């Protein structure tokens, strides 16, 4: 499929999408970024064929919004009239209710198609410099159609498989945000809370894989994640309450030296993982 | 150094030590295990040269206790009189105060030397079948001499480097237990508490690296870890209280939609990791 792909925002996700399109597809890729140095790096590395302007927006077959949630909405409010009715616009945000409260209406207003999207990939570095054509290798790609035609959803699914994703999942904004609060936002909160212990700076020599794994994502982009957490505040705090409650149950068993209760709680954890075959 | 090494308990750690000695040293290795099938597997795979009996105990230069904490103490109470005065006895337990409250006295009583030890390596599988000659590759080896002569400590350090450990750290039982509560026990509690969310069984398609990393060690040996947690109850519950407090601070900022406070807290997490160069 030789399509005109336009990518708005060439950070970790946008930059990786651009590189994956160049490596794995026949599409022509143009990009937009507020930072001229990033555009230059993207051109130089061959991640984009050209800088996207009004002409590229008008000719776009697929447009990926790779900014922060509110900035994605702002971009379409400012530039939606330049996007062709045949274009599929999608986003890559980590929350979907806030996006889907605005973008389907804007799509109707401007006449293009919108399908929400969330590539389940990332790393603990930001920006174009960290982008990688193989970031999505084997990852899940979540699609939130919000009433978009099946044809558009199928086009994005097919492109995702071309780019190396391992599979796609179609869901509602509400279910997406509930699950993401648990699978992604909670571990980020945890990592930050974990490294705040006074023991953390002395961990060297006393730590191994479990320290490394829990603390890894504490290297967080606090501006992005503050927006993502606040856009999903109800689901996230619900999960945090559940987690605090479960930690407290284990802690109480330890405090009361109740070996039977403690074994029972840890056993629950083991059985859940074993049933998942993990 | 061609020494007679005896390993008591051929589970994940004991089995891996045996295999590492065979692969990387000139030592002769014998082993003891209450399960005849494990002894047979260890012999067949060449992990041990023979089954250890009274003769091997008497001739041991180094004896590694690789049982659970109380079982290590019980073993020495039962067999200490068979151990030669020139032998260095060490253990591999994840807690050190409880071990060091008993084993140095038993060493004095029976005339051998005791040095506490803790190889900082593991995986989310148990038993001899999961053991691996390269389990310790690059890992830290913590030594807790408890008054043992420097010569004995140096012998164990040299052997550890031969077996592939990345480095050694010498400390007190108290400091060991404080640090391990944070670096190892806390992530195990967290993993179990994390997978108890009702969202966990549905995570497939909605998860990536951060789910995998936080939940990994929920596949826990609940009998061993109950003993380890209760032997370190004060330090562990102290760390759990600190963690719950820090999670609660982040959760409160989200509940109050306080973007500035939330950014400030997440920024703290990022800066701690960055200062550690991680």
């Amino acid at each position: 499929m030789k399509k005109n792909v336009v990518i708005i925002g060439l950070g970790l996700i946008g930059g990786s999408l651009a590189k994956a399109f160049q490596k794995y597809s026949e599409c022509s890729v143009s990009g937009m970024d507020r930072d001229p140095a990033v555009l230059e790096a993207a051109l130089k590395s061959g991640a984009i064929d050209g800088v996207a302007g009004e002409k590229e927006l008008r000719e776009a077959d697929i447009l990926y919004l790779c900014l922060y949630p509110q900035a994605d909405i702002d971009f379409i409010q400012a530039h939606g009239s330049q996007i062709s009715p045949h274009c599929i616009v999608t986003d890559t945000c980590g929350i979907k209710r806030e996006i889907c409260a605005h973008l389907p209406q804007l799509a109707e207003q401007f006449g293009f198609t919108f399908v929400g999207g969330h590539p389940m990939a990332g790393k603990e570095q930001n920006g174009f410099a960290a982008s990688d054509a193989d970031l999505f290798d084997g990852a899940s790609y979540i699609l939130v159609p919000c009433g978009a035609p099946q044809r558009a959803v199928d086009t994005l699914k097919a492109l995702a498989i071309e780019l190396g994703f391992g599979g796609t999942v179609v869901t509602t904004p509400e279910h997406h945000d509930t699950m993401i609060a648990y699978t992604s936002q909670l571990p980020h909160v945890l990592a930050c809370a974990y490294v705040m212990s006074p023991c953390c700076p002395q961990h060297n020599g006393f730590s191994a894989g479990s320290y490394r794994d829990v603390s890894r994502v504490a290297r967080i982009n606090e501006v992005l994640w503050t927006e993502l957490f606040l856009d999903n505040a109800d689901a996230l705090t619900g999960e945090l309450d559940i987690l605090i409650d479960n930690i407290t149950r284990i802690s109480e068993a330890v405090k009361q030296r109740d070996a039977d209760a403690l074994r029972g709680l840890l056993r629950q954890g083991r059985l859940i993982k074993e049933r998942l075959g993990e």
Side-chain angles (χ1 to χ4, degrees), chain A residues 2-233:
Chain A
K2 179 150 175 61
K3 291 180 182 294
N4 292 324
V5 170
V6 174
I7 296 174
I8 310 300
L10 296 167
L12 173 66
I13 299 298
S16 297
L17 277 174
K19 290 178 178 177
F21 270 109
Q22 299 288 18
K23 184 168 176 183
Y24 297 114
S25 85
E26 300 289 305
C27 297
S28 108
V29 183
S30 62
M32 222 181 248
D33 199 282
R34 64 179 172 184
D35 182 347
V38 165
L39 282 175
E40 205 190 310
L43 278 168
K44 238 179 166 169
S45 68
I48 56 172
D49 300 308
V51 174
E54 215 181 304
K55 176 174 176 291
E56 286 73 20
L57 280 186
R58 291 201 187 283
E59 293 174 357
D61 297 309
I62 320 268
L63 185 144
Y64 288 87
L65 297 165
C66 302
L67 308 171
Y68 296 2
Q70 186 57 50
D72 279 344
I73 298 167
D74 294 346
F75 180 87
I76 293 297
Q77 275 168 337
H79 299 277
S81 64
Q82 298 163 10
I83 298 169
S84 142
H86 84 275
C87 183
I88 301 170
V89 174
T90 187
D91 76 309
T92 57
C93 285
I95 50 90
K96 289 270 97 47
R97 283 178 298 173
E98 178 63 16
I99 287 291
C100 296
H102 295 92
L103 280 172
Q105 282 98 313
L106 289 167
E108 212 178 304
Q109 178 187 332
F110 293 117
F112 57 77
T113 298
F114 174 75
V115 180
H118 183 190
M120 290 301 299
K123 54 168 124 164
E124 56 279 20
Q125 284 134 27
N126 307 310
F128 182 76
S131 67
D132 176 356
D134 294 305
L135 183 67
F136 310 110
D137 183 37
S140 180
Y141 184 48
I142 309 175
L143 287 165
V144 180
C146 306
Q150 187 61 39
R151 194 184 36 78
V153 176
D154 291 342
T155 299
L156 291 177
K157 279 187 181 179
L159 282 173
I161 300 307
E162 237 183 297
L163 301 186
F165 282 91
T168 57
V169 170
V170 174
T171 190
T172 62
E174 291 71 25
H175 188 61
H176 171 276
D177 286 6
T178 301
M179 290 307 298
I180 281 332
Y182 173 67
T183 59
S184 166
Q185 297 193 332
L186 203 53
H188 283 78
V189 171
L190 261 182
C192 287
Y194 179 64
V195 300
M196 286 176 188
S197 164
C199 280
C200 184
Q202 318 162 47
H203 82 83
N204 249 311
F206 294 93
S207 61
S210 52
Y211 164 84
R212 189 181 55 238
D213 284 356
V214 174
S215 69
R216 181 175 61 85
V217 293
R219 194 155 196 166
I220 200 170
N221 171 342
E222 68 265 20
V223 179
L224 171 60
W225 285 89
T226 292
E227 188 171 340
L228 294 172
F229 287 172
L230 294 182
D231 279 344
N232 203 22

